[in-house]
Amino acid sequence: MQKISLVILVTGVVAAGMWGISDYLSRKGEEHGDVTRGQSIAEQTCLRCHAKFDGDPLPDPAITDAPALASFGQRWPLENLEEALAEGITVSHDNMAMPEFSFTPESIADLLTYMESLTREAEAKSK
């Protein structure tokens, strides 16, 4: 009986390990976020005040110093924004407080992936 229990336990551990390895391999190389979903999030939240690229007109004429989204990735590693997006960014532009947004880990990954695509596009344009 003890030998059968040990065989069952070992079989379960091996099966769980194989499942974990196959799950990892099936996801290897995937983006952590989705650009299309990130663009949608940006359009609903960020692009009300921020432009996409430096030099584009800002959508809200009352705001004059909101940096372009593409510039974020040129200034800082975008992963540095992860925590700020999760906890709520507390900055202001032109003495106007930035609205509070609630992002899930998935929506943060999507938004950062979109911002990364904007950064790559801006860098390609500047060459």
Side-chain angles (χ1 to χ4, degrees):
M1 184 69 166
Q2 190 175 15
K3 190 174 182 180
I4 292 173
S5 296
L6 182 59
V7 168
I8 291 171
L9 176 64
V10 170
T11 303
V13 169
V14 169
M18 294 302 287
W19 175 80
I21 290 170
S22 68
D23 184 56
Y24 169 77
L25 291 174
S26 71
R27 294 172 186 259
K28 190 174 180 184
E30 278 185 11
E31 292 283 340
H32 293 309
D34 181 83
V35 173
T36 304
R37 286 192 312 253
Q39 180 178 358
S40 177
I41 293 165
E43 288 169 352
Q44 294 169 26
T45 56
C46 314
L47 295 173
R48 289 189 267 163
C49 300
H50 295 268
K52 286 183 185 180
F53 300 102
D54 284 331
D56 289 353
L58 290 165
D60 184 343
I63 298 174
T64 60
D65 69 351
L69 291 185
S71 72
F72 281 69
Q74 295 171 321
R75 297 175 189 196
W76 314 283
L78 287 174
E79 58 270 9
N80 290 359
L81 292 175
E82 235 175 300
E83 186 176 340
L85 290 169
E87 294 178 0
I89 296 175
T90 55
V91 297
S92 61
H93 304 293
D94 292 327
N95 298 320
M96 299 173 75
M98 188 161 152
E100 287 187 37
F101 298 107
S102 177
F103 295 106
T104 65
E106 181 183 67
S107 63
I108 291 170
D110 294 340
L111 182 57
L112 293 179
T113 298
Y114 174 65
M115 291 173 70
E116 188 176 297
S117 76
L118 290 178
T119 300
R120 284 192 304 267
E121 190 176 336
E123 289 171 350
K125 285 180 179 181
S126 69
K127 290 182 180 181

